Amino acid sequence: MSNIIQLTVEPHVETYITTAFGKQLELSDNNQITVLLKNLMEPFSKVDPGKIRPSKKYSLGGSIDIFVSDYLLKKHGGYISDENIKTFSKSVDLIIKQNMYSWCHAHNRPDEYVDYNIKRFLDFYGFSEDDLSFDNCKRWYYRERERMAKRKGEVKQGLLTIPLQLSVLEVKQEMQMAMF
């Protein structure tokens, strides 16, 4: 038997998960979204009745249904706190933006212009301008590109040296061998 957990998420997170994984997200699948969910789930607290039947205190605009088997419900729990719901939405938002960055740097990209690639990415997943705007994605892309360039610039090219611990006796023997 399957249990359904309805999770409120940001609208663009709902669009991404629906497009990438389908309408039925099963916790038994191993992908980056379900692994994240497994780590955020907690067992129900039998002491606090507020955690047994958590109410929707806020709405992020979208929702996804997660199908959980009885075994996984016992193993991971079925309660997701408000902080973990926000963490999940932020984490998936970061995954979306990192996928966009990879999309723009793919070796088989159809265009060299970043703007066109970002627009194609947004159109591919069907994001609306209200949920995930082009301008925000473009700003994030350039900040990420700058951050990556700084990280690459910090690595200095140099000669790799391995220090050797030689005793004084070994050094004298090495010098004597070099003389002959």
Side-chain angles (χ1 to χ4, degrees):
M1 183 173 171
S2 293
N3 303 299
I4 299 173
I5 298 174
Q6 189 173 23
L7 186 66
T8 59
V9 293
E10 298 284 339
H12 67 282
V13 171
E14 176 188 12
T15 304
Y16 175 76
I17 290 174
T18 304
T19 304
F21 303 105
K23 294 231 180 243
Q24 297 178 355
L25 185 62
E26 294 186 23
L27 200 63
S28 60
D29 295 340
N30 284 326
N31 56 49
Q32 56 193 1
I33 304 298
T34 56
V35 169
L36 179 62
L37 275 171
K38 287 177 187 176
N39 289 327
L40 295 177
M41 295 178 98
E42 304 170 5
F44 289 107
S45 174
K46 295 183 181 179
V47 179
D48 185 8
K51 288 188 177 179
I52 293 174
R53 291 186 187 194
S55 61
K56 290 183 184 177
K57 296 177 182 168
Y58 60 91
S59 176
L60 296 174
S63 67
I64 57 170
D65 291 333
I66 306 161
F67 296 95
V68 185
S69 67
D70 289 335
Y71 170 74
L72 289 175
L73 191 63
K74 289 177 187 173
K75 183 177 178 184
H76 297 288
Y79 176 69
I80 303 174
S81 67
D82 291 342
E83 294 83 26
N84 286 346
I85 291 173
K86 291 176 186 176
T87 301
F88 177 75
S89 279
K90 288 179 184 177
S91 299
V92 175
D93 180 58
L94 183 61
I95 289 171
I96 292 168
K97 290 176 180 173
Q98 288 172 342
N99 283 346
M100 179 194 66
Y101 188 84
S102 298
W103 179 290
C104 292
H105 287 277
H107 69 281
N108 60 348
R109 63 185 179 267
D111 221 333
E112 291 295 321
Y113 296 106
V114 174
D115 293 3
Y116 294 134
N117 290 324
I118 292 173
K119 185 67 177 149
R120 283 189 184 98
F121 177 82
L122 295 174
D123 289 342
F124 177 79
Y125 283 102
F127 296 121
S128 69
E129 187 67 25
D130 295 334
D131 299 336
L132 190 64
S133 70
F134 170 77
D135 293 332
N136 287 341
C137 289
K138 185 176 176 180
R139 280 193 298 270
W140 185 89
Y141 171 82
Y142 283 111
R143 284 193 304 265
E144 182 71 8
R145 189 171 76 175
E146 183 178 330
R147 187 183 69 78
M148 296 288 268
K150 282 182 184 177
R151 184 187 300 168
K152 287 179 183 177
E154 289 175 1
V155 177
K156 295 180 181 176
Q157 299 296 331
L159 181 63
L160 178 64
T161 58
I162 301 172
L164 297 175
Q165 299 281 336
L166 297 176
S167 68
V168 176
L169 182 61
E170 290 175 344
V171 172
K172 287 182 183 177
Q173 288 175 355
E174 291 283 329
M175 290 176 65
Q176 288 175 357
M177 295 292 280
M179 294 177 135
F180 291 109

